[in-house]
Amino acid sequence: MNIGITDNRFGDLDIHLQSGGITLIQLFISSCLLSNLNAFGSSLCSQRLPFLEQALAKVNTSDPDVISTIISRFSDIPKLKAESPYHKMKIIDRCFSRRTIEEIISSLENEALNKKDDWISSTIQSLKKASPTSLKISLRSIREGRLQGVGSCLVREYRMVCHVLRGEFSKDFFEGCRALLIDKDKNPKWEPSRLELIRDDDVDRYFSKIDDEDWEDLKLPPRSNLPPYAIAKL
């Protein structure tokens, strides 16, 4: 088993991966796939993971350069396929570093005007087919996650998924399931139907703690086997 290691060398590629699906199912699956896409980072054999964890636990720093150097000692650079999006990194960084989904799509459309590229065209098409709500909350989650530890990220993702499954703010998850899995017409009717109809406070609600005693917040077990400075980095 190989696990892909991604870092800041790959700019805003993660936003593209998580925002390119047609439903929230695909968006969340993309988040999981990101950790196993060898084409976008270093390939790390699972047998080396215990040694990597030990090496990381020994350093009392969160400096990205130091961490990246340690990871590289236990990893190999995979052979990239010709169609790998890694070869599109300049375009990805230009477009997916934009502040909003609307600006990302607009930037891609400008790229398409200047250059005929099947990847750009298919990416624009995928984004425009996706649930506007799912695009907004996925982008927010990715941006916030860059500044948080693993524990905070898991809590944030858990709350987001719970709100999606409850369907109290949007039924797009169920509509996506209907269009892809039940009726299979591949013609979902999103609500709201356009990005501009979704306000910032609509997105905020997906990251709030659920006010319902039947829906407990995620509580992670303590990592007592690690020294305090290592736990602080998680």
Side-chain angles (χ1 to χ4, degrees):
M1 175 182 177
N2 287 328
I3 298 175
I5 300 296
T6 60
D7 58 35
N8 56 11
R9 290 174 296 173
F10 304 107
D12 287 272
L13 176 59
D14 51 353
I15 296 173
H16 164 62
L17 289 172
Q18 294 204 40
S19 299
I22 191 171
T23 67
L24 274 168
I25 294 177
Q26 289 175 308
L27 292 170
F28 292 139
I29 288 177
S30 294
S31 177
C32 298
L33 287 178
L34 184 60
S35 66
N36 199 32
L37 285 176
N38 291 339
F40 307 122
S42 300
S43 177
L44 178 65
C45 181
S46 59
Q47 284 85 355
R48 301 178 190 169
L49 282 175
F51 302 104
L52 172 59
E53 185 175 85
Q54 292 173 13
L56 291 173
K58 291 178 181 178
V59 295
N60 189 16
T61 179
S62 296
D63 187 313
D65 292 333
V66 175
I67 301 302
S68 294
T69 299
I70 294 174
I71 291 174
S72 65
R73 284 165 37 199
F74 296 89
S75 59
D76 303 310
I77 302 299
K79 184 178 180 180
L80 296 173
K81 296 181 180 180
E83 64 273 17
S84 170
Y86 178 78
H87 299 300
K88 308 286 186 181
M89 285 311 306
K90 289 184 179 180
I91 295 175
I92 290 171
D93 281 340
R94 279 198 301 270
C95 298
F96 288 90
S97 60
R98 303 295 181 177
R99 188 179 64 86
T100 66
I101 286 292
E102 292 93 330
E103 292 172 354
I104 289 172
I105 294 175
S106 177
S107 182
L108 284 166
E109 289 174 334
N110 288 334
E111 293 282 346
L113 290 175
N114 299 322
K115 179 181 180 181
K116 181 175 175 57
D117 187 294
D118 291 340
W119 180 85
I120 295 176
S121 299
S122 64
T123 299
I124 294 172
Q125 185 178 24
S126 294
L127 289 171
K128 288 188 173 182
K129 284 183 177 179
S131 157
T133 298
S134 69
L135 292 177
K136 291 268 189 175
I137 64 176
S138 294
L139 180 60
R140 170 76 69 84
S141 182
I142 296 166
R143 293 274 166 83
E144 289 186 359
R146 288 177 169 178
L147 304 176
Q148 296 176 333
V150 173
S152 297
C153 286
L154 291 173
V155 171
R156 185 190 68 259
E157 293 280 344
Y158 175 81
R159 290 178 179 177
M160 185 170 67
V161 171
C162 285
H163 281 299
V164 167
L165 294 177
R166 284 165 62 90
E168 54 194 333
F169 307 137
S170 171
K171 306 292 185 183
D172 279 3
F173 174 78
F174 305 101
E175 174 61 12
C177 290
R178 180 204 64 76
L180 280 180
L181 305 176
I182 301 175
D183 297 336
K184 299 182 180 180
D185 57 21
K186 296 184 179 180
N187 186 31
K189 306 298 183 183
W190 307 127
E191 184 60 40
S193 59
R194 301 195 308 275
L195 289 166
E196 60 267 26
L197 297 177
I198 303 171
R199 302 170 302 179
D200 288 343
D201 56 346
D202 294 328
V203 178
D204 291 341
R205 294 185 294 182
Y206 282 90
F207 301 93
S208 62
K209 184 177 180 180
I210 296 178
D211 187 17
D212 187 330
E213 61 181 14
D214 292 329
W215 290 72
E216 294 185 5
D217 212 23
L218 180 64
K219 297 178 181 178
L220 299 173
R223 297 289 299 274
S224 57
N225 60 316
L226 295 177
Y229 61 81
I231 294 176
K233 290 183 287 187
L234 297 179

